[in-house]
Amino acid sequence: MTAPIPYDPDAVHTPVLTFRWTVRGDPGDALYEASGTCPVCGCAMRRTWNFGQPPIGKGGFLGRRKEPGTEPCYTVCQCRTLHMNRPPSEPLGCGALLAIAPPPASGGTP
Ligand SMILES: [Zn+2]
Ligand SMILES: [Zn+2]
């Protein structure tokens, strides 16, 4: 490992990453967990999404999708390494925004 990189909230990694997806739970309320390596800091990280959650309230948009879809999933780095200068409000990660390729569609055509 190289020296730890400092926290950088402005870091953006635009190329879409391919993470390994693990799906848990019931259909319609499944948890999708992506795990892989943050290319910015080089640490392993994972992030869980719940795509099955229906929106609450009419016309309300809570930033959740009904299903994974085909758009990349955006998340800030969630690694457990303590990066320098990380603000107390951010318990995890190096601050980089990552785009992760969506999970493969289940039960559909390959
Ligand atoms: Zn990172
Ligand atoms: Zn890291």
Side-chain angles (χ1 to χ4, degrees):
M1 288 289 281
T2 52
I5 68 156
Y7 183 90
D8 181 6
D10 297 323
V12 179
H13 186 81
T14 42
V16 176
L17 305 164
T18 303
F19 274 24
R20 199 160 58 94
W21 287 93
T22 308
V23 184
R24 290 192 300 252
D26 303 320
D29 192 27
L31 285 174
Y32 288 75
E33 183 184 87
S35 57
T37 302
C38 170
V40 177
C41 66
C43 309
M45 61 153 277
R46 59 181 56 194
R47 165 79 202 272
T48 303
W49 281 270
N50 183 342
F51 291 112
Q53 197 87 357
I56 298 170
K58 208 172 177 181
F61 179 63
L62 302 180
R64 273 178 177 156
R65 303 179 210 162
K66 251 182 171 169
E67 51 191 38
T70 55
E71 294 290 310
C73 300
Y74 291 93
T75 179
V76 288
C77 175
Q78 300 278 301
C79 77
R80 295 180 180 277
T81 305
L82 182 64
H83 290 290
M84 285 182 293
N85 303 328
R86 186 163 65 201
S89 56
E90 295 294 334
L92 296 168
C94 68
L97 179 67
L98 309 174
I100 299 172
S106 56
T109 48

